[in-house]
Amino acid sequence: YIESFMDNIESRYRSKVTIKEFDFKARYCQDLTIPARWITDVNNYLLDRCKYNNIMYVMADEMYHENSVVEIKEFAYQKKFDSMWHYFLHFVQDLNHIRNPETVAYTDAIRVFKKDKFSCTHDGYSFVHMKGSDFLPRHIKAKNPIFHLGYVMDFRKKANEHIAEGGIFNFSNKDEIFNGWVDNVDLIGYKGGYPKYLSYKNMLSSDKIYSLMQDIKDS
């Protein structure tokens, strides 16, 4: 996956990407009471190694909208705000259903921020100000959402891998919490737009995405 990712980056940008590899021992985290807490350690490890103070964070199954570029650049050149909160659209099973915002685990998270002000927290989904979780940082709301697409592609396979040995949700009472959640998850219909990046042909699983996009056009 890493080699394919690097091969698909335009040569003029490739030198700007640094890959950090290290063993974060996920297979030893079976007794955690907070799911995926080891992701927090990974994120903070990488934050300490970032060269610049402006951070734009993205997980492998998340996607920014192309219209986010302008507001992210504006954030980087200002000093009034410490962080930018993004609204999340959590897609499950296909591209025309999202998790119900009223019942989903989270609808907003910090994805753009000043590195010297924040550290990662809880199970790695967001970041907390260094002054503590009760401190309200100077933040702004992003105009465009984050598209969380992880449970669109082979979603049942991914769910099973997450709770298997070495998976990110492999912890003590996993069966009680995750049993059948993919089929029983609370979904609502989605009729909004999508990032243009979803249509890129050189993406992994681009054929599957194209098929799902055609289903939307035909419906």
Side-chain angles (χ1 to χ4, degrees):
Y1 284 135
I2 293 176
E3 291 175 357
S4 176
F5 170 77
M6 294 298 290
D7 289 343
N8 287 326
I9 298 177
E10 294 182 39
S11 57
R12 56 179 172 160
Y13 297 130
R14 200 168 298 149
S15 62
K16 298 178 180 293
V17 178
T18 301
I19 303 295
K20 294 289 185 180
E21 296 185 42
F22 59 99
D23 186 355
F24 41 81
K25 309 294 185 184
R27 62 185 178 277
Y28 299 129
C29 298
Q30 298 179 16
D31 296 325
L32 293 179
T33 56
I34 298 176
R37 188 169 63 184
W38 56 266
I39 297 179
T40 301
D41 297 332
V42 172
N43 287 342
N44 287 327
Y45 177 93
L46 293 174
L47 280 180
D48 286 341
R49 286 151 183 81
C50 287
K51 183 177 180 180
Y52 300 105
N53 193 39
N54 287 296
I55 302 295
M56 188 190 81
Y57 178 79
V58 60
M59 287 191 162
D61 61 355
E62 298 174 355
M63 184 174 287
Y64 288 89
H65 194 280
E66 62 271 16
N67 292 341
S68 296
V69 173
V70 173
E71 59 182 348
I72 289 173
K73 285 185 176 180
E74 289 176 350
F75 177 89
Y77 287 102
Q78 59 80 44
K79 297 181 180 180
K80 180 179 179 180
F81 300 104
D82 297 330
S83 61
M84 180 183 292
W85 283 78
H86 278 82
Y87 181 75
F88 272 68
L89 298 172
H90 300 277
F91 290 84
V92 177
Q93 301 181 8
D94 53 41
L95 290 174
N96 44 10
H97 289 92
I98 60 172
R99 298 189 67 174
N100 188 341
E102 296 182 1
T103 58
V104 72
Y106 65 96
T107 57
D108 298 84
I110 293 175
R111 283 295 177 266
V112 181
F113 57 95
K114 303 296 183 181
K115 181 183 72 171
D116 59 358
K117 303 287 186 180
F118 291 87
S119 64
C120 195
T121 185
H122 194 62
D123 63 355
Y125 89 96
S126 192
F127 299 83
V128 65
H129 200 280
M130 297 293 284
K131 292 185 177 180
S133 57
D134 293 332
F135 178 79
L136 297 178
R138 300 170 300 173
H139 70 265
I140 54 177
K141 289 276 189 179
K143 298 175 183 177
N144 302 282
I146 295 287
F147 293 75
H148 182 198
L149 304 161
Y151 288 96
V152 171
M153 312 305 299
D154 297 324
F155 53 91
R156 285 192 177 85
K157 177 182 177 182
K158 179 176 181 180
N160 290 331
E161 289 178 345
H162 280 353
I163 62 175
E165 182 178 356
I168 65 173
F169 294 131
N170 181 30
F171 64 105
S172 53
N173 57 336
K174 62 182 180 181
D175 293 333
E176 176 184 345
I177 295 178
F178 292 109
N179 184 29
W181 80 267
V182 172
D183 293 307
N184 300 326
V185 65
D186 185 13
L187 300 178
I188 62 173
Y190 176 74
K191 298 293 184 182
Y194 302 89
K196 69 179 182 181
Y197 306 119
L198 272 178
S199 301
Y200 279 20
K201 294 297 183 182
N202 61 351
M203 288 178 54
L204 292 171
S205 303
S206 60
D207 290 341
K208 175 71 173 180
I209 292 292
Y210 176 80
S211 176
L212 292 172
M213 294 294 285
Q214 289 300 118
D215 290 343
I216 293 171
K217 293 178 181 178
D218 295 339
S219 62

